[in-house]
Amino acid sequence: MSLLASTRALRHAAARAVATTGSRALATTTNILPPLTPSTSPTERSNDTNKDPASTEGPKKKKHLIFGNRGPSLQDFLNASNLKSLDPNAVKLDDTMLDDTPYLSVKGPRLGAGAKYFVEVYGCQMNVNDTEILMSIMNSAGYVKADDQDEADIVFLVTCAIRENAEAKIWNRLAELKRRKLGPMKDKAPLVGVLGCMAERLKDKLLDSDKMVDLVCGPDAYRSIPRLLSISETTRQGIANVMLSADETYADIVPVRIAPESFSAHLSIMRGCNNMCSFCVVPFTRGNERSRGFDSILQEVRQLSDQGIKEITLLGQNVNSYRDTSEDGIQLSSGVGAELSNAGFKTIYKRKDGGMRFTELLDRVSLIDPEMRIRFTSPHPKDFPTALLDLMASRPNICSQIHMPAQSGSTAVLSRMRRGYSKEAYLELVDTIRSTVPGVAISSDFITGFCGETEADHEDTMDLMRRVEYEMAYMFMYSRREGTHAGRRLQDDVPEDVKLKRLQDIIQIFHKGAESRFRARVGQPVGECVLVEGRSRRDKNRWVGRADGGYKVVFDDDLVLPSIEASLNPSVSGASKTAGRVPIKLGEYLHVITTSATSTSFQGKALARTTLNEFSRHQSNFLTRQPFQEIRTPLTTPSSPMVAGVGLGSIEMQS
């Protein structure tokens, strides 16, 4: 058998081992076959692992299997070469690798059969959604979710790699799990799997460490986890599948909700990112952008509506760059929303034409259930065309909340970050958003101490924050990430104490601006439409809910009127405190008048139950001063999601 044939056999075996990933990329294996010596036969090789380490020359490298996108490794080539030159039975490699190798088995002792798994989630909402996908895959394979870590046969850590602190938490947690593996109950210690972005970024380090990691799996390879567990258990080797896929979206998997009692749910519509911001590791850990077909998204939204869900959040690393290029997506698209936010925005990559864009998808999603709120995160500022803003303004069930990460207020820093816009273009977009979507709440992300940031740059950022006055912001010191453009090409030259001081500066400015905006809303007669989410953590006798703008509102457990319209009836509103009133229930919308505010939340008084459409009419009534009964109500079932000449399924008004 030729060396080429041996190498092909290795490739073929690896490809079969990860066939369930659905990736187009070629898999590779590392350390599957240890190099042979003249005195070692294939049958003796399996016994070598039982020899005393002291009898070998030098330390033995921990063996593990890695499937990735990089093609066959040098070690694979050398393994095949050694096998051919030193083992006369090498011609049987095809049979050995493809039929008898334990790691191809899908019938490991823990595969299904009621084995229990436990999941710990770290990081963003995408990780929460990924966990729900993981749970569906595990349940389908016969595993059972454990309520407590101590019951679990497998513990998964779904990880984040966006900042150094996020990874430090995982290393500390692995140290805790390691102590359990080495303790008096080590025979009952679970397998440990590290999943998500950190797994993709640090695959070798995780398996080579002494943290006792058994399985490493990237975000695009969750389908292969049951098989990987079988391999790990059978071979007692660490194993990783970190293949990045060009098309994996898990569109055919129905997520198992982490909190089935909640009236809110998250729904992934796209994965990956093409923006290649210089500070960001996401394109390297989650791959290029690819979008789910719109039909599978609409089907899942309908299912959630049928389950009584009152609020969904559409998710994606760059959610508003959604582009369905399936046959239906291309044929049914009218091209609405394909342009950038304004002339001041550009992309580092060449944008492609065709396909259904985010504006058209959101239009269709919003029509499924007019009484189900819709949010989306996390968007990029470049992808807010006018049509998208007009749609948000026209639909009562699309929340008036926009997350618009600025990252910096300095045009020079933004250029080094490769964000594709200037401070001036960003501010112009803010003005457009606030003039188009009344009462919109804007949130943002900021990084202090990025490479080369000067005091003047920092002043520009503080100026931006003062001018915008965000309702919410996520603020962090710059954390260098290996493999990114900044990590390779730029110098992390801002001292840590300066980063920290600048972070404290922007946090103070944010709180001042948010408190100013919140206090301006206190006591407004129009009030807030609040979805009741549960009891307050600080006071179980009070309720907490979320307003349209995304901020929390806390209120007393009072009896309320059955509707806003009932409050206009003197015989009901002027009656006793109990007559004609109803108790507050979880998962319903309430009309709440705010009474006080901090920079992060409101206190208020609940007045009446309501619906999204009724509250929208109430807002119109307040603005136009028309009698409630005469307010023209929005159609809830437009004849077509796309209106000719307008480009959007704009909600018409009728008597």
Side-chain angles (χ1 to χ4, degrees):
M1 183 178 183
S2 67
L3 174 61
L4 178 59
S6 298
T7 305
R8 285 174 177 169
L10 283 166
R11 293 184 187 178
H12 188 34
R16 282 189 57 185
V18 293
T20 54
T21 62
S23 174
R24 300 171 182 167
L26 178 67
T28 183
T29 61
T30 300
N31 296 336
I32 289 180
L33 299 174
L36 300 175
T37 64
S39 61
T40 305
S41 69
T43 56
E44 292 172 337
R45 183 167 58 245
S46 60
N47 296 325
D48 287 345
T49 57
N50 298 322
K51 293 182 179 180
D52 187 345
S55 64
T56 63
E57 294 183 6
K60 298 181 71 174
K61 183 178 180 180
K62 181 180 177 181
K63 293 199 299 180
H64 51 262
L65 313 177
I66 296 181
F67 305 107
N69 293 69
R70 60 181 176 80
S73 68
L74 175 62
Q75 186 64 56
D76 296 330
F77 181 85
L78 295 176
N79 286 341
S81 178
N82 282 331
L83 188 63
K84 172 63 181 174
S85 60
L86 302 175
D87 182 4
N89 297 318
V91 292
K92 298 181 180 180
L93 182 62
D94 279 288
D95 294 336
T96 300
M97 295 297 292
L98 300 183
D99 297 325
D100 302 326
T101 305
Y103 69 72
L104 292 180
S105 170
V106 296
K107 298 180 180 180
R110 288 190 184 177
L111 183 58
K116 293 186 175 182
Y117 66 93
F118 185 79
V119 188
E120 298 178 13
V121 190
Y122 301 81
C124 66
Q125 290 298 335
M126 282 296 294
N127 278 358
V128 175
N129 185 255
D130 279 1
T131 298
E132 295 178 336
I133 291 170
L134 167 68
M135 290 165 57
S136 180
I137 292 170
M138 295 297 290
N139 293 353
S140 297
Y143 291 88
V144 178
K145 185 178 182 296
D147 295 326
D148 187 272
Q149 172 196 315
D150 294 334
E151 304 174 359
D153 300 296
I154 310 122
V155 173
F156 293 118
L157 308 182
V158 183
T159 64
C160 174
I162 198 70
R163 279 172 289 276
E164 185 176 354
N165 286 345
E167 292 185 354
K169 290 180 182 178
I170 301 302
W171 287 115
N172 291 337
R173 184 69 181 106
L174 289 174
E176 294 174 4
L177 292 171
K178 172 191 173 183
R179 287 193 289 271
R180 183 177 175 185
K181 283 196 170 188
L182 299 179
M185 302 293 289
K186 60 184 179 181
D187 291 340
K188 296 183 178 180
L191 295 174
V192 177
V194 176
L195 316 180
C197 293
M198 184 174 170
E200 177 67 38
R201 201 178 83 82
L202 298 174
K203 44 194 174 286
D204 294 294
K205 186 175 181 180
L206 285 164
L207 288 175
D208 287 337
S209 72
D210 61 352
K211 304 294 182 181
M212 304 288 187
V213 174
D214 301 287
L215 178 149
V216 175
C217 188
D220 290 351
Y222 294 146
R223 294 179 192 267
S224 69
I225 286 178
R227 177 168 290 196
L228 297 179
L229 287 170
S230 179
I231 297 172
S232 179
E233 177 122 15
T234 303
T235 65
R236 297 297 176 183
Q237 292 178 283
I239 186 166
N241 185 354
V242 290
M243 298 183 73
L244 289 175
S245 171
D247 50 18
E248 179 63 89
T249 63
Y250 301 106
D252 60 321
I253 294 179
V254 179
V256 174
R257 295 176 58 215
I258 291 177
E261 73 285 353
S262 174
F263 286 86
S264 300
H266 295 85
L267 188 157
S268 174
I269 67 168
M270 58 87 67
R271 302 175 72 86
C273 183
N274 292 344
N275 291 321
M276 298 300 292
C277 299
S278 65
F279 57 83
C280 186
V281 75
V282 167
F284 305 98
T285 60
R286 290 205 173 247
N288 293 334
E289 291 177 6
R290 62 269 189 204
S291 300
R292 282 177 64 176
F294 79 92
D295 52 347
S296 74
I297 296 171
L298 299 185
Q299 180 180 358
E300 187 172 344
V301 172
R302 292 187 190 100
Q303 292 173 346
L304 293 172
S305 175
D306 292 342
Q307 295 168 16
I309 295 299
K310 290 295 188 71
E311 180 178 286
I312 61 169
T313 301
L314 306 180
L315 295 177
Q317 267 77 32
N318 189 20
V319 66
N320 55 340
S321 70
Y322 173 89
R323 188 172 74 98
D324 178 11
T325 56
S326 67
E327 183 177 349
D328 287 343
I330 293 174
Q331 289 182 353
L332 297 178
S333 172
S334 59
V336 174
E339 66 274 13
L340 294 176
S341 300
N342 63 45
F345 288 83
K346 61 182 179 180
T347 62
I348 195 171
Y349 59 92
K350 184 178 180 180
R351 299 183 84 236
K352 296 181 180 179
D353 297 327
M356 181 178 293
R357 302 283 180 170
F358 181 68
T359 302
E360 294 178 286
L361 173 70
L362 187 61
D363 173 58
R364 284 170 166 79
V365 169
S366 68
L367 295 174
I368 290 175
D369 184 350
E371 289 300 322
M372 183 166 63
R373 272 181 175 170
I374 303 161
R375 304 184 191 276
F376 55 90
T377 198
S378 177
H380 190 284
K382 75 179 190 304
D383 292 310
F384 280 101
T386 302
L388 174 57
L389 302 179
D390 289 339
L391 175 66
M392 293 182 66
S394 71
R395 295 285 162 83
N397 63 333
I398 301 179
C399 292
S400 298
Q401 177 191 14
I402 290 179
H403 185 63
M404 204 164 67
Q407 306 299 356
S408 176
S410 163
T411 297
V413 172
L414 289 169
S415 177
R416 288 196 294 276
M417 288 181 167
R418 304 205 295 191
R419 292 290 289 171
Y421 54 85
S422 64
K423 176 182 180 180
E424 291 72 25
Y426 184 92
L427 286 171
E428 180 184 339
L429 177 58
V430 170
D431 290 341
T432 301
I433 290 173
R434 285 191 166 149
S435 64
T436 306
V437 186
V440 65
I442 300 178
S443 57
S444 191
D445 297 343
F446 284 95
I447 297 172
T448 64
F450 185 69
C451 305
E453 183 185 71
T454 64
E455 280 299 321
D457 295 328
H458 179 51
E459 288 289 340
D460 282 342
T461 298
M462 292 191 291
D463 175 67
L464 175 69
M465 297 186 74
R466 291 189 186 101
R467 293 170 66 175
V468 176
E469 289 190 333
Y470 297 96
E471 278 83 358
M472 186 181 297
Y474 301 91
M475 299 159 283
F476 303 94
M477 296 189 300
Y478 171 63
S479 176
R480 180 181 177 274
R481 302 282 79 195
E482 294 179 7
T484 62
H485 176 81
R488 291 182 286 107
R489 301 290 182 88
L490 303 179
Q491 185 177 355
D492 184 9
D493 53 0
V494 180
E496 291 299 305
D497 60 332
V498 175
K499 290 181 183 179
L500 179 59
K501 172 61 169 58
R502 292 176 182 174
L503 177 61
Q504 292 169 341
D505 288 343
I506 66 171
I507 289 175
Q508 183 178 6
I509 292 171
F510 158 71
H511 282 294
K512 184 177 180 180
E515 187 169 359
S516 172
R517 294 192 69 83
F518 281 10
R519 286 185 172 178
R521 298 182 71 98
V522 170
Q524 289 188 358
V526 69
E528 303 285 348
C529 183
V530 176
L531 176 63
V532 183
E533 294 185 333
R535 293 288 182 173
S536 170
R537 293 182 180 179
R538 295 185 178 181
D539 186 348
K540 296 301 181 182
N541 294 319
R542 308 189 77 202
W543 291 98
V544 63
R546 199 162 299 275
D548 183 81
Y551 30 79
K552 291 195 304 181
V553 183
V554 182
F555 45 94
D556 292 333
D557 189 8
D558 296 327
L559 294 174
V560 296
L561 294 169
S563 66
I564 296 178
E565 188 171 5
S567 67
L568 301 180
N569 186 340
S571 64
V572 177
S573 61
S576 68
K577 293 183 178 180
T578 58
R581 296 176 184 267
V582 294
I584 296 172
K585 292 183 179 180
L586 188 68
E588 65 183 4
Y589 296 114
L590 294 179
H591 176 214
V592 178
I593 297 294
T594 54
T595 56
S596 64
T598 66
S599 61
T600 57
S601 64
F602 289 90
Q603 302 288 316
K605 180 174 178 56
L607 300 182
R609 288 181 182 172
T610 189
T611 65
L612 295 183
N613 275 330
E614 184 193 43
F615 190 80
S616 177
R617 298 196 304 270
H618 166 66
Q619 287 179 310
S620 299
N621 173 55
F622 178 78
L623 293 175
T624 62
R625 307 295 183 184
Q626 295 179 12
F628 187 86
Q629 297 89 332
E630 297 179 10
I631 294 301
R632 294 144 69 88
T633 58
L635 284 174
T636 57
T637 55
S639 58
S640 171
M642 307 304 289
V643 178
V646 178
L648 294 172
S650 54
I651 295 181
E652 299 178 7
M653 310 295 278
Q654 67 176 16
S655 298

